[in-house]
Amino acid sequence: MTTETRPVEARPLVTEPHPYIPLTPDDRAAMLATIGVASTDDLFTDIPAAYRNPSINIPDALTELELLDEMRTLAARNRTGSDYACFLGAGAYHHFRPSLIDPLVMRGEFLTSYTPYQPEVSQGTLQTIFEFQSLVCELTGMDVANAGMYDGASALAEACLMACAVTGRRRIAVSERVHPNWLAVVQGYAHGRDIGVDMMPHPAPGATFVLSDEHACLAVAQPDFYGRMSLDAASWGEAAHAAGALFLVAAEPISLGMYRPPSEYGADIVVAEGQSLGVSLSYGGPYVGLFACRNDYIRQMPGRIVGRTADLEGRTGYVLTLQTREQHIRRERATSNICTSQQLIALSASMYLAALGPRGLRRVAELCYEKAHYLADRIDELAGFRVERDEPFFHEFVVRPQKPPSEINRALIERRIIGGLDVSDAIHNRMLLCATELNTRVEIDALVEALAEVSR
Amino acid sequence: MTNLQSSTFNLQQPEPTLDARSHAGRIAVAMPHSDVPGAEAPPAELLRRDLRLPELSQLDVVRHYTRLSQLNWSIDTHMYPLGSCTMKLNPKVNDAIAAMPGFADAHPMQPAADVQGALAVVYGLQRTLAEITGMAETSLAPLAGAQGELAGVLVIKAYLESRGEKRTTILVPDSAHGTNPATASMAGFDVVAVKPQPDGDMDLDALRVALEEHGPTVAALMITLPSTLGLFDRNIVQIAEMVHAHGAQMYGDGANLNAMVGQVKPGDLGFDVMHINLHKTFSQPHGGGGPGAGPIVVKEHLIPFLPSPHVVVDADEDERWKMEDGSGSGRPSSIIHPPSSATYRLHDPERTIGRLGAFHGNFGVLLRAYAYISSLGPDGLRAMSEAAVLNANYVQARLRGAYDLAHDRTCMHEVLFSGRKQKAQGAKTLDIAKRMIDYGYHPPTIYFPLVVEEALMIEPTESETKETLDAFCEAMLQIAAEAETQPELLREAPHNAPLRRLDEATAARKPVLRW
Ligand SMILES: Cc1ncc(COP(=O)(O)O)c(C=O)c1O
């Protein structure tokens, strides 16, 4: 190959400067000379020639101005809670987001840093993780928490795998009232490790789950998928422990502003979806899974953990710790394969808790509770609707309308209302409605009015 | 100490924890009173007695986080040449797009008819990533690279099960990232390591031996391309043929895709499934450890097993993928505007491996990747990988005299040095890394891959200017000179960071994990 005969950079890829790729033709020529090759083509000769330079059939580049224009058009094709009254929950909740969160969380120093592998220049991220762990412990009542998981569902799945590792057992018991999408995630992770999953029927009030000594854990949700808070959770925990299994509770963080933390009714591992703590709905992600457990199980925990320590001069600092659990050290024997997680979202959840404090969080929980109960009471007054009230509920409840929920929802959206989730697949002709502090009385009354109209 | 001469010094004072700043009776954001009649209280036994969250004023909270942010280095503040992590520009327009209320407030459980804009983005990105990688279909469900690996390996497992094959082994080069073996074991496979040969390419004889020894039990080879050594394996096509000849699948770890986009399509090389880290090649900010997204792209035979949900379009034919003149295939005029006839919906692939998260993937991350690809177009993407490779080779050329190369050949988007020479002089790779902090550069990836002694892996990315690269190289040369003459300067570094080196041993021995 005689590189000298080839023209230098005969094929300019982009004829105009591109804001993301700063090398100029001069730069390139000088750099190629330093490297000692004639063209960038010479840097790619390890790729078999027959496969080089494929065509890519995607549209030509847009400038920032054009891109924003197009994306606005697309965004306008969604009907969202910013323009509609939203009564949809089912695992993702429409909450108020304090204004201080975005400008702080979007600071480039947080946004564009990597996992804090170099502690001397990552104390910001490390300390916020330590604080996140502490806040999650306070909220759940547990001893220790990790830096966060992908989302609540995968946190539950990992908790089930962890219970298997702790107990050495290979079957798990999961309440059928866990969010159906979470159940699906648990099943997928369990299938990977060839772990058996028993879907447990929900016991009647006053009764408990029946486990065997093959079960590594009992996993329940409190509130459950239908919004109900059981009075029997402590006896479920006892049943799990009597079988030698761990008791896993999927909690809802806002509810913990007023309800007992799972630590008080026997939980060994608590997981939760952190989205409700000031995180945008963003069509399902990015969210963050909270993961906390008892001290005994620290070394089986998945995910990153930050600990407090000191530098050479005795000043307080923070580092990633207990890393011998993790994939980069333990490889195929790691507790989990998780690496990149959801740190920025954990940070915004921490900011939310710091902003609201105990008083604010309790107020939000109470507002949710009161608005949901006001809505339920008003719906109960309507002919053709019945609210299911066999157990206490938090901010979500099941309604039995006469008409199909899908039909009702179509009518509601015309009235600028996003209705509840149609759960008819699971329970015949039912709708799951949610109210939060964002739903004003005016909105709630409008929903009730609309429901009355549609069912006429 | 009363040394208060500079404001930077003040900014680098330790920041107390939220808990230490807390003072009962303060609040940073007030919530309203209820506008509905009070409800009957829940049963007392359900209620919590105390909640010990910190109580801070608004200024406390703002200052706390602002100050903490200033203790961090980031792409926005420093060159951050972390190998394998692709610390490139994270365009601000992408954040603006993700924050548009039409996207940020879309609820994941809304009926498809009400979120057509969101679904159009997901669909467009599915098609685009398949096109870029030369694969048949994409799933955007995985929430990070490691979860993409899990999804990909579970897809392989389900495919093999559907054919009645029980294959229990996955081959993984020992240079692989830790997530590869960890994933294989989470998916229920045994891991067998394969060694590279001295030039960095896979040892074909070792592969042959492994394939023959484990014969019909081998489910897949998990291989990173370009490799974690920063090299394009010259035998990749042959490797794929050998793996396929044994009835096994080719799994590609696409963490290093930034070197290949537009240069070569992994699908053409024989990969059956590959994950892509959108937080590397496609510019999602790393956020101090996420969120990312780890889509997988697959060949035709694996489509039925893809994770759920998948977005499909109901139209006679996808009009957008026709030529502008309507002639069939070719470059669409826009990946954004769907034909008015199209409606998108969520779909569970026939024999899906199931769900990976509660909803449809990290949508906010998908949006940013979509915006990024739209900003570059096909020529821009090719220019991107070309510049990334040029920059890495430039750094290699400038530093090769001072540091030992792990493999002396053209590299791809990252260059792997070994600090063994400096180690002999009394300064380990860790010391070089810490000294770089004093010069204002974030350290590169160190001690990875594990197979290279004193590894030091530099990935400059396409985002840096030549001036920055030159200054960086000067600093590295200076450090190499210091290692020769005064290695203690490196051993005691950093000297100018907010903190000196931290005691990690005590942190692990006596863990303090909360306030
Ligand atoms: C080569 C390689 N594979 C896999 C991963 C895992 O990806 P993630 O961190 O997104 O889970 C990484 C990133 O750290 C990587 O560098």
Side-chain angles (χ1 to χ4, degrees):
Chain A
M1 189 176 66
T2 51
T3 43
E4 298 88 286
T5 58
R6 228 185 295 161
V8 172
E9 292 304 282
R11 183 178 56 91
L13 284 171
V14 275
T15 45
E16 291 188 43
H18 193 285
Y20 302 172
I21 309 168
L23 295 187
T24 63
D26 291 354
D27 292 337
R28 294 156 63 97
M31 292 164 75
L32 289 169
T34 302
I35 298 168
V37 294
S39 127
T40 51
D41 276 337
D42 296 338
L43 303 176
F44 288 94
T45 52
D46 285 348
I47 301 179
Y51 302 98
R52 283 274 341 260
N53 289 321
S55 73
I56 307 185
N57 287 319
I58 62 169
D60 287 327
L62 300 177
T63 60
E64 180 166 336
L65 186 156
E66 295 162 312
L67 176 67
L68 282 167
D69 209 35
E70 299 238 16
M71 297 308 284
R72 263 187 225 108
T73 311
L74 265 185
R77 299 188 64 210
N78 298 329
R79 299 171 165 136
T80 71
S82 46
D83 301 317
Y84 288 62
C86 179
F87 293 93
L88 182 57
Y93 301 97
H94 194 217
H95 284 292
F96 176 70
R97 304 184 56 240
S99 307
L100 61 77
I101 294 179
D102 280 341
L104 291 173
V105 86
M106 298 303 281
R107 285 185 63 91
E109 300 93 327
F110 287 134
L111 183 69
T112 70
S113 56
Y114 200 72
T115 301
Y117 288 130
Q118 298 290 339
E120 297 85 352
V121 289
S122 311
Q123 283 298 306
T125 296
L126 286 161
Q127 185 172 330
T128 64
I129 296 175
F130 180 83
E131 294 177 348
F132 174 76
Q133 291 168 184
S134 306
L135 290 164
V136 172
C137 289
E138 295 290 0
L139 210 50
T140 57
M142 303 304 284
D143 301 327
V144 285
N146 71 11
M149 307 297 286
Y150 298 134
D151 73 349
S154 67
L156 182 63
E158 291 261 21
C160 292
L161 298 187
M162 175 171 150
C164 291
V166 167
T167 58
R169 298 177 179 182
R170 307 191 56 78
R171 288 197 83 70
I172 57 174
V174 189
S175 159
E176 64 180 4
R177 290 224 189 141
V178 168
H179 195 301
N181 291 2
W182 291 37
L183 287 174
V185 178
V186 169
Q187 274 162 332
Y189 273 71
H191 178 71
R193 283 251 161 98
D194 298 313
I195 286 164
V197 183
D198 291 322
M199 211 65 89
M200 307 300 286
H202 189 76
T208 191
F209 289 92
V210 182
L211 302 178
S212 86
D213 61 8
E214 282 185 20
H215 286 126
C217 64
L218 167 66
V220 303
Q222 175 88 322
D224 68 20
F225 178 60
Y226 302 105
R228 295 180 271 223
M229 298 290 306
S230 174
L231 296 164
D232 300 326
S235 75
W236 302 344
E238 284 158 20
H241 293 148
L246 302 195
F247 185 42
L248 274 46
V249 178
E252 204 298 308
I254 296 289
S255 76
L256 295 177
M258 64 188 265
Y259 290 98
R260 257 194 328 162
S263 59
E264 290 183 17
Y265 48 87
D268 297 296
I269 307 177
V270 178
V271 298
E273 174 50 71
Q275 176 273 330
S276 43
L277 300 174
V279 179
S280 292
L281 284 166
S282 188
Y283 197 54
Y287 297 169
V288 59
L290 315 189
F291 194 109
C293 69
R294 296 201 185 279
N295 254 331
D296 308 346
Y297 309 130
I298 297 185
R299 283 171 206 272
Q300 273 99 7
M301 252 207 290
R304 297 192 172 114
I305 301 176
V306 165
R308 177 184 268 162
T309 186
D311 80 349
L312 279 175
E313 290 169 21
R315 293 173 296 194
T316 298
Y318 301 88
V319 291
L320 291 171
T321 194
L322 303 179
Q323 296 189 69
T324 49
R325 300 164 299 110
E326 291 186 72
Q327 46 75 28
H328 59 285
I329 312 256
R330 192 52 67 84
R331 298 177 77 84
E332 63 267 27
R333 281 181 299 282
T335 53
S336 165
N337 69 341
I338 194 166
C339 181
T340 294
S341 181
Q342 308 279 131
Q343 220 52 67
L344 198 75
I345 311 298
L347 174 60
S348 64
S350 296
M351 288 177 181
Y352 179 86
L353 290 172
L356 266 65
R359 197 176 266 111
L361 190 69
R362 172 158 300 141
R363 176 74 58 82
V364 173
E366 286 168 358
L367 285 168
C368 289
Y369 179 88
E370 285 173 10
K371 299 208 181 211
H373 285 76
Y374 173 70
L375 173 60
D377 292 347
R378 298 254 5 236
I379 290 176
D380 259 344
E381 294 163 8
L382 297 178
F385 288 89
R386 200 171 60 82
V387 173
E388 303 204 337
R389 292 183 185 267
D390 34 337
E391 283 178 84
F393 62 87
F394 170 47
H395 66 345
E396 237 172 336
F397 55 89
V398 174
V399 178
R400 177 183 193 170
Q402 266 166 358
K403 291 207 173 148
S406 54
E407 202 177 301
I408 295 175
N409 277 339
R410 272 198 300 278
L412 290 179
I413 202 83
E414 298 311 318
R415 291 167 174 78
R416 300 192 80 75
I417 296 172
I418 297 168
L421 185 72
D422 181 356
V423 289
S424 306
D425 281 352
I427 327 177
H428 177 65
N429 211 50
R430 299 289 197 287
M431 180 180 229
L432 183 63
L433 278 167
C434 173
T436 70
E437 79 284 1
L438 282 179
N439 297 112
T440 60
R441 181 173 187 161
V442 174
E443 280 182 9
I444 296 173
D445 290 342
L447 169 63
V448 173
E449 187 89 355
L451 288 174
E453 271 175 44
V454 256
S455 55
R456 245 173 239 141
Chain B
M1 197 162 78
T2 53
N3 182 353
L4 295 175
Q5 73 275 61
S6 83
S7 59
T8 340
F9 181 85
N10 265 329
L11 288 173
Q12 297 193 343
Q13 288 301 295
E15 171 62 20
T17 60
L18 287 169
D19 187 51
R21 273 182 171 273
S22 172
H23 186 107
R26 294 199 179 125
I27 195 157
V29 175
M31 295 304 297
H33 287 281
S34 178
D35 60 354
V36 298
E40 195 187 322
E45 57 194 295
L46 284 177
L47 296 182
R48 91 183 281 158
R49 287 180 299 271
D50 64 348
L51 178 59
R52 287 182 317 252
L53 296 175
E55 299 178 57
L56 292 92
S57 73
Q58 188 162 111
L59 184 55
D60 279 340
V61 173
V62 170
R63 244 179 222 163
H64 178 72
Y65 286 108
T66 304
R67 284 178 178 237
L68 283 182
S69 76
Q70 289 170 326
L71 300 177
N72 258 12
W73 285 16
S74 63
I75 301 174
D76 283 6
T77 56
H78 293 81
M79 182 176 168
Y80 209 126
L82 212 51
S84 208
C85 302
T86 314
M87 303 300 280
K88 59 166 62 185
L89 168 78
N90 302 149
K92 298 298 176 194
V93 63
N94 299 353
D95 301 330
I97 289 166
M100 288 177 177
F103 294 125
D105 295 331
H107 191 292
M109 292 297 227
Q110 285 184 261
D114 297 340
V115 287
Q116 285 293 301
L119 294 176
V121 170
V122 176
Y123 184 79
L125 189 59
Q126 284 176 188
R127 293 305 327 143
T128 304
L129 293 178
E131 170 64 18
I132 288 173
T133 56
M135 305 290 268
E137 197 44 274
T138 307
S139 167
L140 299 173
L143 301 171
Q147 212 194 27
E149 292 173 29
L150 182 62
V153 171
L154 288 176
V155 162
I156 290 174
K157 181 169 169 154
Y159 166 74
L160 293 172
E161 280 169 2
S162 79
R163 295 162 53 95
E165 293 182 49
K166 180 89 184 130
R167 291 171 175 258
T168 52
T169 305
I170 292 190
L171 306 181
V172 183
D174 59 5
S175 56
H177 193 263
T179 50
N180 292 187
T183 297
S185 112
M186 267 182 103
F189 290 94
D190 299 326
V191 176
V192 171
V194 190
K195 286 200 188 327
Q197 55 193 28
D199 67 2
D201 287 346
M202 179 172 276
D203 185 334
L204 295 185
D205 289 329
L207 177 63
R208 191 169 297 115
V209 169
L211 281 169
E212 272 156 20
E213 191 175 320
H214 300 277
T217 73
V218 179
L221 169 69
M222 272 184 111
I223 185 170
T224 310
L225 190 74
S227 70
T228 57
L229 307 170
L231 305 173
F232 192 93
D233 197 310
R234 290 167 288 206
N235 302 316
I236 191 68
V237 175
Q238 207 181 332
I239 290 170
E241 281 167 8
M242 287 167 66
V243 167
H244 286 147
H246 277 78
Q249 299 281 295
M250 278 289 281
Y251 182 96
D253 179 328
N256 294 339
L257 186 62
N258 206 48
M260 286 197 294
V261 178
Q263 307 296 337
V264 60
K265 292 183 173 182
D268 295 346
L269 300 172
F271 285 95
D272 298 294
V273 52
M274 185 177 83
H275 83 261
I276 304 169
N277 306 62
L278 295 187
H279 43 302
K280 297 184 179 187
T281 306
F282 298 108
S283 85
Q284 160 68 22
H286 284 90
I296 54 170
V297 286
V298 298
K299 287 275 172 64
E300 197 78 35
H301 62 286
L302 299 176
I303 294 178
F305 307 95
L306 282 178
S308 181
H310 192 244
V311 173
V312 293
V313 65
D314 287 324
D316 289 348
E317 184 181 0
D318 185 6
E319 304 278 335
R320 293 181 310 142
W321 296 89
K322 281 186 174 177
M323 287 291 266
E324 279 162 77
D325 64 6
S327 68
S329 66
R331 185 178 299 182
S333 57
S334 166
I335 50 173
I336 292 172
H337 286 308
S340 48
S341 62
T343 27
Y344 301 95
R345 64 185 164 82
L346 298 171
H347 163 74
D348 293 337
E350 287 151 65
R351 314 183 67 166
T352 178
I353 58 160
R355 283 185 166 275
L356 299 163
F359 301 110
H360 332 298
N362 278 339
F363 178 72
V365 178
L366 307 181
L367 263 176
R368 285 179 172 87
Y370 185 90
Y372 185 72
I373 294 170
S374 304
S375 303
L376 284 165
D379 296 339
L381 287 174
R382 190 172 286 131
M384 164 190 101
S385 51
E386 188 181 51
V389 171
L390 176 57
N391 285 354
N393 279 283
Y394 181 66
V395 170
Q396 183 195 62
R398 291 217 46 194
L399 300 185
R400 69 183 327 143
Y403 296 90
D404 284 349
L405 278 167
H407 308 279
D408 194 352
R409 53 186 265 206
T410 302
C411 64
M412 295 300 281
H413 63 303
E414 59 197 6
V415 50
L416 182 58
F417 291 102
S418 163
R420 59 189 162 229
K421 182 157 97 194
Q422 285 74 21
K423 186 181 183 187
Q425 293 165 344
K428 297 192 300 281
T429 282
L430 181 71
D431 305 321
I432 297 171
K434 299 300 183 194
R435 183 65 178 149
M436 287 172 69
I437 295 172
D438 289 334
Y439 283 88
Y441 297 97
H442 191 282
T445 292
I446 53 175
Y447 301 106
F448 172 77
L450 308 174
V451 293
V452 170
E453 186 193 350
E454 296 292 309
L456 193 100
M457 185 198 271
I458 298 172
E459 179 178 6
T461 84
E462 73 283 0
S463 310
E464 302 295 347
T465 61
K466 179 169 179 293
E467 294 89 312
T468 305
L469 296 179
D470 282 330
F472 169 78
C473 290
E474 290 304 329
M476 290 298 291
L477 294 173
Q478 186 97 35
I479 292 171
E482 289 170 356
E484 256 181 84
T485 55
Q486 35 184 343
E488 66 287 351
L489 204 53
L490 280 63
R491 285 200 301 268
E492 284 162 23
H495 304 268
N496 301 330
L499 291 181
R500 304 281 307 281
R501 289 195 202 181
L502 289 119
D503 182 354
E504 305 198 14
T506 307
R509 204 158 3 91
K510 297 192 202 135
V512 181
L513 310 179
R514 56 178 294 190
W515 58 55

